[in-house]
Amino acid sequence: MAALAHDLRMACMRVSRRVRFETTTQLAPHQFSVLVRLSEQPRTAGDLAGQERVTAPSMSRTVGALVERGFVQRAADARDGRVVVLSLTTLGEQVIAQERAQRDAWMAVRLEGLSEDDRAVLRRATALLEEVVAR
Amino acid sequence: MAALAHDLRMACMRVSRRVRFETTTQLAPHQFSVLVRLSEQPRTAGDLAGQERVTAPSMSRTVGALVERGFVQRAADARDGRVVVLSLTTLGEQVIAQERAQRDAWMAVRLEGLSEDDRAVLRRATALLEEVVAR
DNA sequence: TATTGTTATACTCTATAACTATA
DNA sequence: TATAGTTATAGAGTATAACAATA
């Protein structure tokens, strides 16, 4: 089982690495991560900093750059004047959608020509991976 | 098939992201990558720069830091005086081995308790992924 | 003259510390 | 006094441009 853990991990990381290297990126990795978080739901800078494992000042700058580029917008919180709620702009949503489409296309090209059996294996493996990583 | 491409890509990237975030790292990601390349075989700084998609001066600094920390050693090339051949020191090999062991352990913990059937699926999926990504 | 590698300088991302505004 | 966020300053990584050594 140690061999499986190693091989599976390597395979996943290789896919990930190549996707990140080979799909065009209008965004630096840390910026992309933040946009993905915000595409799930609006969040505060503090939340983002915790999720991305960076400090508050660092996230503050990252967010500032994304706001400047028109991908993210700030809004005041009605109940707490200290809080700034961040969310994607329409442009930000478009950029994320484009980037995701490129990444999915990279993967789709590599799955072309697989047999139905092979695809079934990969479907089951995907479900297993999701389940297992949720632990 | 588009759905499979998306889901499989996401699953792989999630595994990769969590491994990178959650295993202790004595090394920054770019340093780790370089040590892995050198663990395969000795290379020149120029080779490394090309493989890692960074410029020569950038790789020069990265290598310099790894040499200073005692993980990498420089050697002259007998046939071409311009060339500097880089390789891992014993300490560098130890560090890489430790880091890999931590990463494999992370994955192994998550595979614990899977049925033999599930593990067979993951084994087949791993082989498919390796094949498919080699394209 | 071309190639390998490094140094010079500037920009970005990160961090710790200090500051502002609100609770 | 504590919390959310930003600004100040400094330490790395990266880039382009310029330089040194060798082919």
Side-chain angles (χ1 to χ4, degrees):
Chain A
M1 188 159 81
L4 174 59
H6 174 79
D7 295 345
L8 180 56
R9 175 181 74 75
M10 291 295 287
C12 289
M13 295 190 79
R14 189 166 293 128
V15 166
S16 179
R17 183 178 178 83
R18 291 202 46 198
V19 167
R20 281 183 288 120
F21 265 61
E22 296 176 20
T23 58
T24 301
T25 165
Q26 317 168 56
L27 297 161
H30 69 290
Q31 295 176 324
F32 183 74
S33 289
V34 166
L35 293 191
V36 168
R37 299 278 187 193
L38 293 180
S39 74
E40 294 160 4
Q41 60 174 278
R43 297 177 200 274
T44 65
D47 286 347
L48 288 171
Q51 290 168 340
E52 296 298 317
R53 265 79 158 186
V54 296
T55 56
S58 183
M59 184 52 67
S60 192
R61 290 195 73 166
T62 296
V63 166
L66 292 171
V67 169
E68 251 183 52
R69 289 179 66 181
F71 299 150
V72 168
Q73 57 200 346
R74 292 185 233 246
D77 184 306
R79 292 167 300 184
D80 186 337
R82 297 169 303 180
V83 169
V84 176
V85 179
L86 303 165
S87 61
L88 292 188
T89 61
T90 303
L91 181 60
E93 284 169 2
Q94 287 171 356
V95 166
I96 280 292
Q98 281 171 20
E99 189 72 23
R100 282 177 167 146
Q102 284 177 1
R103 292 177 169 208
D104 288 346
W106 185 95
M107 193 81 228
V109 164
R110 277 149 192 87
L111 298 185
E112 275 171 15
L114 285 186
S115 70
E116 180 49 40
D117 276 2
D118 287 344
R119 277 181 278 159
V121 167
L122 290 178
R123 263 190 286 275
R124 288 184 59 195
T126 300
L128 282 170
L129 273 180
E130 283 167 358
E131 179 190 319
V132 131
V133 170
R135 292 179 187 175
Chain B
M1 187 157 85
L4 174 59
H6 174 78
D7 295 344
L8 179 56
R9 175 181 74 74
M10 290 295 286
C12 289
M13 296 190 79
R14 189 167 292 128
V15 167
S16 179
R17 183 178 178 83
R18 291 201 49 198
V19 167
R20 280 182 290 118
F21 265 60
E22 296 174 21
T23 58
T24 301
T25 165
Q26 316 167 59
L27 296 162
H30 68 290
Q31 295 175 323
F32 183 73
S33 289
V34 166
L35 293 192
V36 168
R37 299 279 188 193
L38 293 179
S39 74
E40 295 160 3
Q41 60 175 279
R43 299 175 197 274
T44 65
D47 286 346
L48 288 171
Q51 290 168 339
E52 296 297 317
R53 264 81 158 182
V54 296
T55 56
S58 182
M59 185 52 68
S60 193
R61 290 193 72 166
T62 296
V63 166
L66 292 171
V67 169
E68 251 183 52
R69 290 179 66 182
F71 298 150
V72 168
Q73 56 200 346
R74 292 184 232 246
D77 185 307
R79 290 167 301 185
D80 186 338
R82 298 170 302 180
V83 169
V84 176
V85 179
L86 304 166
S87 61
L88 292 189
T89 61
T90 303
L91 181 59
E93 284 168 2
Q94 287 170 358
V95 167
I96 279 292
Q98 281 171 20
E99 190 71 26
R100 282 177 167 147
Q102 284 178 0
R103 292 177 169 208
D104 289 346
W106 185 96
M107 193 79 228
V109 164
R110 274 147 194 91
L111 299 184
E112 275 172 15
L114 285 185
S115 70
E116 180 48 39
D117 276 4
D118 287 344
R119 276 181 279 161
V121 168
L122 290 177
R123 263 190 287 273
R124 288 183 60 194
T126 300
L128 282 170
L129 272 180
E130 284 167 358
E131 179 190 319
V132 132
V133 171
R135 290 181 187 175

